[in-house]
Amino acid sequence: RVVRIVNALLDLSRLERGLAPTLRRTAVAVEPALAAAVELFRRASASHRFAVECAPPLPRVDADPDALDRILKNLVSNAVKYSPSGSTVTVTARGRADGSAVEFAVADEGSGIPRAALPRVFEPYYRAPDTLGAVRGTGIGLAVVKSLVDAHGGAIRVESIPGIGTRVTFELPSVP
């Protein structure tokens, strides 16, 4: 946990200085990356169910494998933290119709994020008012995730309905 926080702070420091994260990009197979990230939480959390859905055939993504792993683990970790025991965390991937990118999504069945907080969720140190004190965290995870997605030339967005859950979707370019 301490190593993750230190790495996130180092990434955030680079981000605040206007520097993009350092990436070592290669062709990454999507299915094994999703399976590995989810399996870690499946073993650690007996209180949640996990569903992985990949729409084949998926192209490989042009990504840094460690960065993709950090993105997925952060989003799955948040989904587990902010959803009740017994709920399902769903991780999906599907190729874009034109073959230019792969869209990933992590969805939970948690309490959701208030509409007024959505525009700020990627800001460093920001935590939605209703989560303060309820769940441990530093408020830097989503800022780092956004910087990693941006550094890949991708895009990220959050959709949330209070009382229903949250879905974080991001795209990474596929290997031509």
Side-chain angles (χ1 to χ4, degrees):
R1 179 167 158 70
V2 171
V3 169
R4 280 189 313 222
I5 292 171
V6 168
N7 284 336
L9 286 170
L10 290 172
D11 285 341
L12 190 59
S13 173
R14 290 182 57 80
L15 179 70
E16 288 174 343
R17 292 189 326 237
L19 303 172
T22 304
L23 301 177
R24 291 176 186 83
R25 292 168 81 145
T26 187
V28 179
V30 172
E31 294 94 333
L34 287 181
V38 171
E39 187 57 31
L40 174 74
F41 292 94
R42 187 175 275 140
R43 284 190 312 239
S45 175
S47 62
H48 287 78
R49 294 182 308 274
F50 296 90
V52 178
E53 302 167 3
C54 293
L58 285 174
R60 293 176 180 260
V61 290
D62 178 24
D64 179 310
D66 293 329
L68 177 57
D69 186 61
R70 288 179 66 194
I71 292 166
L72 290 168
K73 285 179 180 171
N74 182 282
L75 296 177
V76 173
S77 173
N78 281 354
V80 169
K81 280 195 296 191
Y82 293 101
S83 61
S85 291
S87 64
T88 300
V89 173
T90 304
V91 182
T92 61
R94 65 181 179 159
R96 203 193 256 171
D98 65 5
S100 64
V102 172
E103 179 183 272
F104 299 82
V106 177
D108 66 44
E109 298 173 340
S111 59
I113 301 168
R115 177 178 282 259
L118 285 174
R120 300 191 59 201
V121 295
F122 295 116
E123 291 178 14
Y125 309 110
Y126 180 77
R127 298 190 66 207
D130 61 334
T131 64
L132 297 175
V135 177
R136 286 182 18 194
T138 59
I140 59 177
L142 286 179
V144 171
V145 164
K146 182 174 183 348
S147 72
L148 290 171
V149 171
D150 289 348
H152 283 89
I156 188 166
R157 68 184 182 279
V158 177
E159 302 162 288
S160 189
I161 301 172
I164 302 293
T166 300
R167 179 183 178 94
V168 180
T169 305
F170 67 97
E171 285 188 355
L172 295 180
S174 60
V175 174

